[in-house]
Amino acid sequence: AEPACNVPDSGLTTEDMAVDVFEINGLQIPVMDEALAGALRSIPPQRRNILLLAYLLEKNDAEIGQDLKLARTTVRDRRHDAFKKLQNLMRGKE
């Protein structure tokens, strides 16, 4: 069987290819899409961190609250606000 793709390995890591890498408590979270990375940079850091933990690392509000030392309800409210802002930014409304 022949290989499906004969492209040499460039040796680049996901972080090397990322448009931006966000760091939360020592975790490196690469974002590959320029529009998404730009929108995320426009969101205040704590709210951005909540979004990244929730949607990219699939943590629930209680886990995020423990990580960021916030109440679960605070995390929920900030996640909702940040997600709305992200949606508006991605749609070009802000």
Side-chain angles (χ1 to χ4, degrees):
E2 290 192 28
C5 185
N6 194 15
V7 177
D9 181 4
S10 66
L12 294 175
T13 65
T14 301
E15 285 80 11
D16 293 330
M17 295 183 290
V19 171
D20 208 340
V21 178
F22 297 94
E23 184 174 331
I24 306 169
N25 295 343
L27 292 172
Q28 301 284 320
I29 302 174
V31 175
M32 311 309 256
D33 183 86
E34 177 61 49
L36 178 58
L40 285 167
R41 285 190 293 267
S42 298
I43 294 174
Q46 187 181 70
R47 284 172 165 70
R48 178 181 59 229
N49 290 348
I50 289 169
L51 282 179
L52 292 169
L53 290 168
Y55 296 109
L56 296 180
L57 297 183
E58 300 179 353
K59 290 190 172 209
N60 66 40
D61 293 344
E63 293 168 327
I64 295 169
Q66 286 180 331
D67 290 349
L68 301 180
K69 303 194 181 3
L70 297 169
R72 181 194 57 77
T73 54
T74 300
V75 170
R76 181 199 61 213
D77 294 344
R78 291 182 183 173
R79 180 174 48 79
H80 282 268
D81 290 345
F83 189 73
K84 279 186 150 184
K85 181 167 179 65
L86 181 64
Q87 283 180 314
N88 288 335
L89 286 164
M90 294 297 291
R91 292 177 180 152
K93 294 182 179 178
E94 285 195 32

